[in-house]
């Protein structure tokens, strides 16, 4: 069977300004089982011819059949499949991957084969034993001599049971002893039925060949057969060409090769991971701070109650000078009942009388804020005590000396943590009995909502402050009622009862608008922090892309070798993309841990509220993986489009 048929084969290199013809109409047939030695001076075209019949390069013109397959018009991926199924390569420079062991180098072509079935390829360990390297399987190329490295290359060329082995100056870098060993090995392989095509400039080696072809200036000047060839038993034909398909095992191989490449360049991989880690950690920490701030504001807004209007005395202006708030109108305790009765749409009103007081108990003296409140306060502000009870309307009317204290006050006056319900404290030298502990609210801006005490409104007005004026009122509007209409009705009623005409003398603020503004500010704050973190991650992604480009440049020969032994464009593309995604994903996972730790540290040191949500963790990880994909595609595509022969020649 004819394994190689060339008719009118030409090759011209098209440079920028000139065309350089190298082969001029080559006609050649090689039968199965031949050992062909191709000789010629430098520039004769012998290496170009070997690259074309080895499917590493394409002819400019002419017909080329390999094992009966017309391949001159085949695509790059089809040629890669043919190289993997039919061909084995032995290079002058060995072209072993330095980060892989001898066994892993021999196994490399199997990764890109159509089938992982053992019947389709030789056992790599068996092949290394065949070439006398059974004790060197786990050694890397830099731990082997030149002859040993070439024997590894011979074993690699056999692993996929090739129809033809192409040897390009296989003994060019070897000493005399190693040269004899390698050429004898090739002769033995040829005797077993494998077709050998060898390029050499050493006349002595032609003695082992069955046929010697000499080239000069791109044409065959002699073709001599020195001994008959063994036709062998391999009769594979064109019908056996199978294109590679994606499978779980192939994806697994891509991951394995990507991890080997990353492990082989540990420092570069660590620095790449570090860049992504910083970006993700920033994203997690800033989102935690932003979400925490948003949550704190939401809690504060929740503590204000819903459907609330805040009523307070207004300030007037005369001649551009603003008078003190309440100078023209004062709110009274009687206004609470009047508004409830006269203004429709009101479900509750909480009146306030507030001020700073001195609280004394258990031998301790503490300055805090006191709110005298009416009974509706607890429902309007959702401030029912965590333990104990609230005072009743009757107790408020009777001016009972009862108090509910906040958690901060309790900790300062009763640090031993005992149950204080029923205990007494002095407020401005007046004894009050503790009937409840207020629910924990936390900080609200400059104010600690737990640092206060609450007493009945009548008690505050008559026993503590000695005044009849309220500080302000909270009005809760019924569901479905129009807050604007209720607000106008409150102003109108207060103007009537207080005999005022200036609507500026009383202020009514819609808390829903304040809540909306605060929520909007929190969202803007979170967006700002997230944007800063996004920029950080973007910079990390650009760094990954730059490192991947450097990696492609440094590994050009490796890419050329992988393509020579059967890797197609998709194989190279996916391997490099997986490397990029793995680096970014690893950086993302480490960054999530680091960012979470940073958020906790910020919370402890600065006292800020931070919140790490599952959404932010998932977002950070997915974004880091997406960064690897987006910024890895361009370098990976560049790697996949490299021409195998140009890549192998890269310095």
């Amino acid at each position: 069977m004819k394994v190689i048929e060339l008719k009118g084969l030409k090759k011209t290199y098209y440079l920028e300004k000139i065309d350089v013809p190298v082969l001029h109409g080559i006609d050649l047939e090689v039968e199965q089982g031949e050992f062909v030695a191709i000789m010629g001076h430098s520039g004769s075209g012998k290496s170009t011819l070997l690259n074309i019949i080895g499917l590493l390069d394409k002819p400019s013109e002419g017909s080329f059949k390999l094992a009966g397959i017309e391949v001159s018009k085949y695509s790059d991926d089809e040629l890669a499949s043919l190289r993997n199924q039919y061909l084995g390569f032995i290079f002058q420079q060995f072209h072993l991957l330095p980060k892989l062991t001898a066994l892993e180098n021999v196994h490399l072509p199997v990764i890109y084969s159509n089938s992982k079935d053992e019947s389709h390829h030789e056992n790599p360990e068996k092949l290394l034993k065949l070439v006398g390297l059974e004790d060197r399987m786990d050694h890397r190329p830099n731990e082997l001599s030149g002859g040993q490295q070439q024997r590894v290359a011979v074993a690699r060329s056999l692993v996929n049971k090739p129809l033809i082995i192409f040897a390009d100056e296989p003994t060019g870098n070897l000493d005399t002893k190693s040269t004899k060993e390698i050429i004898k090995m090739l002769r033995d392989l040829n005797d077993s039925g494998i077709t050998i095509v060898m390029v050499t400039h050493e006349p002595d080696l032609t003695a082992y060949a069955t046929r010697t072809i000499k080239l000069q200036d791109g044409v065959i000047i002699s073709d001599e057969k020195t001994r008959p060839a063994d036709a062998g038993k391999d009769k594979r034909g064109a019908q056996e060409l199978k294109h590679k398909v994606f499978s779980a095992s192939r994806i697994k191989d891509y991951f394995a090769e990507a991890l080997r490449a990353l492990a082989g360049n540990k420092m570069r991989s660590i620095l790449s991971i570090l860049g992504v880690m910083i970006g993700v950690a920033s994203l997690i920490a800033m989102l935690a701070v932003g979400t925490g701030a948003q949550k704190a504001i939401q809690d504060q807004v929740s503590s204000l109650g819903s459907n609330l209007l805040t009523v307070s005395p207004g300030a007037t202006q005369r001649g551009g000078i603003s008078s003190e708030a309440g100078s023209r109108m004062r709110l009274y305790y009687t206004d609470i009942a009047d508004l409830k009765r006269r203004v429709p749409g009101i479900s509750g009103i909480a009146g306030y009388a507030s001020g700073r007081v001195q609280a004394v108990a258990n031998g301790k003296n503490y300055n805090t804020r006191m709110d005298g409140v009416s009974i509706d306060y607890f429902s309007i502000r959702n401030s029912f005590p965590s333990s104990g009870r609230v005072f009743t309307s009757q107790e408020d009317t009777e001016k009972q000396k009862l108090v509910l204290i906040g958690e901060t006050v309790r900790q300062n006056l009763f640090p031993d943590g005992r149950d204080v319900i029923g205990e007494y404290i002095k407020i401005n030298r007046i004894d009050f009995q503790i009937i409840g502990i207020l629910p924990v609210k936390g900080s609200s801006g400059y104010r600690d909502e737990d640092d206060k005490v609450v007493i009945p409104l009548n008690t505050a007005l008559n026993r503590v402050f000695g005044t009849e004026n309220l500080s302000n009122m909270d009005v809760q509007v019924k569901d479905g009622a129009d807050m604007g209409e209720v607000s106008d009705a409150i102003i109108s009623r207060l103007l009537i009862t207080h005999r005022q005409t200036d609507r500026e003398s009383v202020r009514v603020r819609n808390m829903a608008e304040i809540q909306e503004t605060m929520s909007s500010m929190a969202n803007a704050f979170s967006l700002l922090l997230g944007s800063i973190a996004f920029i950080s991650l973007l910079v990390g992604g650009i760094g990954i892309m730059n490192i991947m480009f450097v990696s492609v440049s440094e590994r050009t020969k490796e890419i050329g070798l992988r393509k020579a032994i059967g890797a197609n464009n998709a194989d190279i593309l996916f391997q490099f993309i997986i490397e990029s995604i793995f680096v970014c994903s690893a950086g993302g996972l480490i960054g999530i841990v680091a960012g979470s730790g940073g958020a906790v540290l910020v919370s402890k040191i600065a006292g800020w509220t931070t919140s790490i949500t599952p959404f932010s963790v998932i977002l950070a990880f997915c974004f880091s993986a997406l960064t690897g994909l987006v910024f890895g595609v361009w370098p990976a595509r560049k790697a996949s489009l490299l021409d195998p022969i140009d890549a192998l020649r890269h310095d």
Side-chain angles (χ1 to χ4, degrees):
M1 183 180 74
K2 296 175 183 178
V3 292
I4 295 175
E5 296 178 75
L6 306 180
K7 292 182 180 179
L9 193 76
K10 296 182 180 181
K11 179 64 178 179
T12 301
Y13 291 104
Y14 302 98
L15 305 181
E16 292 183 359
K17 295 184 179 180
I18 58 172
D19 296 340
V20 181
V22 179
L23 299 178
H24 306 275
I26 299 292
D27 294 323
L28 177 65
E29 294 180 352
V30 176
E31 296 287 340
Q32 186 172 6
E34 286 192 297
F35 187 156
V36 180
I38 301 176
M39 296 190 66
H41 296 294
S42 178
S44 62
K46 61 182 186 298
S47 293
T48 300
L49 177 61
L50 184 73
N51 292 333
I52 291 175
I53 60 179
L55 305 181
L56 297 174
D57 202 356
K58 293 181 180 180
S60 301
E61 296 181 37
S63 172
F64 173 22
K65 290 183 180 180
L66 179 69
I69 305 171
E70 177 59 56
V71 300
S72 57
K73 303 300 182 183
Y74 265 32
S75 68
D76 291 340
D77 286 351
E78 289 172 325
L79 293 178
S81 293
L82 283 173
R83 286 196 297 270
N84 189 265
Q85 291 180 56
Y86 290 123
L87 311 181
F89 291 91
I90 304 171
F91 301 99
Q92 179 180 358
Q93 302 295 333
F94 318 138
H95 288 309
L96 303 178
L97 299 188
K99 304 298 181 181
L100 303 186
T101 64
L103 185 61
E104 290 169 340
N105 268 287
V106 174
H107 184 264
L108 203 57
V110 179
I111 293 173
Y112 304 111
S113 62
N114 291 320
S115 173
K116 300 299 186 292
D117 192 326
E118 292 185 0
S119 64
H120 290 80
H121 60 82
E122 300 286 359
N123 186 298
E125 294 184 6
K126 179 182 176 181
L127 291 175
L128 285 173
K129 290 178 181 178
L130 180 68
V131 298
L133 293 177
E134 61 271 14
D135 59 340
R136 296 285 183 177
M137 292 185 185
D138 295 327
H139 287 65
R140 293 185 177 183
N142 62 355
E143 299 170 329
L144 303 175
S145 67
Q148 290 172 330
Q149 290 185 56
Q150 195 63 294
R151 279 189 272 173
V152 173
V154 171
R156 181 182 62 196
S157 71
L158 296 171
V159 73
N160 275 348
K161 298 182 178 180
L163 184 66
I164 309 171
I165 289 179
F166 292 97
D168 185 6
E169 300 282 5
T171 62
N173 289 333
L174 303 179
D175 56 34
T176 303
K177 179 183 177 182
S178 297
T179 295
K180 291 180 179 179
E181 291 175 350
I182 295 301
I183 199 66
K184 182 180 182 304
M185 204 173 292
L186 293 177
R187 174 68 180 270
D188 292 341
L189 292 173
N190 180 242
D191 290 342
S192 70
I194 297 177
T195 305
I196 307 288
V197 178
M198 176 181 68
V199 165
T200 182
H201 64 278
E202 300 179 47
D204 294 345
L205 300 185
T206 60
Y208 294 87
T210 63
R211 180 179 175 186
T212 302
I213 297 174
K214 292 184 179 180
L215 263 67
Q216 182 175 318
D217 297 329
V219 296
I220 296 175
I221 59 173
S222 69
D223 186 349
E224 300 178 359
K225 292 188 178 182
T226 56
R227 62 183 176 87
D230 186 350
K233 300 178 181 180
D234 198 338
K235 303 297 182 182
R236 285 180 286 174
Q239 69 276 9
E240 295 189 38
L241 175 61
K242 297 178 181 179
H243 299 295
K244 286 181 270 190
V245 295
F246 283 104
S247 63
S249 62
R250 186 167 298 284
I251 297 296
K252 180 182 176 182
D253 288 336
Y254 291 152
F255 270 99
E257 290 304 298
L259 291 177
R260 284 196 188 103
L262 293 173
N265 295 277
K266 293 183 178 64
M267 183 55 66
R268 183 170 63 198
S269 301
I270 290 172
L271 292 176
S272 301
I273 289 173
L274 183 63
V276 178
M277 183 206 76
I278 293 172
V280 172
S282 301
L283 184 63
I284 286 289
M286 290 187 178
L287 285 178
V289 171
T291 305
Q294 194 170 11
K295 185 175 183 298
I297 291 173
Q298 287 173 348
D299 291 342
Q300 179 183 351
V301 168
S302 177
S303 71
L304 296 176
S306 59
N307 298 338
L308 280 185
L309 297 172
T310 298
V311 182
S312 58
T316 59
Q317 288 191 348
R318 290 183 180 178
I321 300 175
S322 178
S323 60
E324 184 180 356
S327 59
R328 295 191 59 191
M329 179 183 286
R330 292 181 174 84
L331 300 177
Y332 301 110
Y333 186 85
T334 54
D335 288 329
I336 298 175
D338 181 70
L339 290 176
K340 276 187 176 182
R341 187 173 63 256
R342 297 288 187 175
V343 177
I346 293 178
S347 63
I349 299 178
Y352 295 91
S354 304
R356 302 297 299 184
V357 295
Q358 204 71 18
V360 178
N362 201 31
K364 299 183 182 297
N365 191 314
Y366 187 69
N367 185 275
T368 186
R369 179 168 59 92
M370 187 187 74
D371 285 339
V373 299
S374 56
I375 192 64
D376 287 343
Y377 163 82
F378 299 101
S379 59
I380 289 176
R381 288 303 183 102
N382 192 25
S383 289
F384 292 99
S386 57
S387 63
R389 67 178 180 86
V390 302
F391 50 80
T392 65
S393 297
Q394 183 177 348
E395 289 170 334
D396 180 25
T397 303
E398 294 175 353
K399 309 179 187 64
Q400 295 288 327
K401 293 180 288 186
L402 305 174
V403 64
L404 293 89
I405 64 174
E407 182 62 26
T408 302
V409 178
R410 189 198 65 78
Q411 291 176 3
N412 280 276
L413 295 181
F414 302 96
D416 53 5
R418 70 177 187 267
D419 183 10
V420 298
I421 304 299
E423 299 261 358
Y424 284 85
I425 65 172
K426 286 184 179 292
I427 298 177
N428 286 2
R429 301 180 181 180
I430 302 172
D431 288 325
F432 281 80
Q433 185 181 25
I434 300 173
I435 62 170
I437 304 297
L438 294 171
V440 175
K441 295 286 188 178
S443 296
S444 174
Y446 67 91
R447 177 181 293 178
D448 182 357
E449 287 296 310
D450 299 325
D451 187 7
K452 70 177 181 179
V453 296
V454 170
I455 66 174
L457 180 56
N458 264 316
T459 306
L461 292 173
N462 294 279
R463 293 183 180 273
V464 179
F465 298 127
T467 181
E468 56 183 7
N469 300 330
L470 301 182
S471 302
N472 59 282
M473 292 187 296
D474 282 343
V475 178
Q476 188 172 45
V477 179
K478 292 179 180 178
D479 292 336
D482 186 280
M483 296 189 71
E485 291 180 0
V486 175
S487 175
D488 289 339
I490 290 172
I491 294 173
S492 298
R493 183 59 192 170
L494 288 174
L495 291 176
I496 291 171
T497 57
H498 291 266
R499 298 176 182 178
Q500 298 280 342
T501 57
D502 186 1
R503 295 181 66 86
E504 296 298 323
S505 61
V506 61
R507 291 183 297 184
V508 179
R509 291 185 296 172
N510 189 334
M511 297 306 294
E513 295 177 356
I514 297 175
Q515 293 173 11
E516 184 178 347
T517 301
M518 293 172 69
S519 297
S520 177
M521 289 174 61
N523 291 333
F525 182 63
S526 297
L527 182 61
L528 174 63
L529 292 179
S531 299
I532 295 172
F534 170 78
I535 293 172
S536 177
L537 194 55
L538 184 65
V539 171
I542 294 172
I544 289 292
M545 182 170 63
N546 184 51
I547 290 173
M548 291 298 294
F549 272 123
V550 172
S551 177
V552 170
S553 178
E554 289 181 351
R555 295 163 60 190
T556 300
K557 282 190 176 181
E558 174 194 334
I559 295 167
L561 171 65
R562 290 181 184 274
K563 285 200 161 189
I565 61 177
N568 59 28
N569 291 354
D571 293 326
I572 302 299
L573 178 72
F574 278 102
Q575 179 181 330
F576 274 83
I577 287 178
I578 287 172
E579 287 182 28
S580 177
I581 292 176
F582 181 85
V583 165
C584 289
S585 298
L589 290 174
I590 298 172
I592 288 170
V593 175
S596 300
V600 172
L601 196 62
V602 167
S603 179
K604 295 291 184 183
I605 295 175
W608 295 353
T609 301
T610 59
S611 178
I612 301 169
T613 63
F615 172 76
S616 65
V617 172
I618 294 171
L619 175 66
F621 178 77
C622 292
F623 202 79
S624 63
L626 184 63
T627 298
L629 175 62
V630 171
F631 289 97
V633 165
W634 189 5
R637 186 172 182 275
K638 178 184 177 182
S640 70
L641 295 178
L642 288 174
D643 185 75
I645 191 61
D646 291 337
L648 285 170
R649 290 171 177 169
H650 182 77
D651 292 330

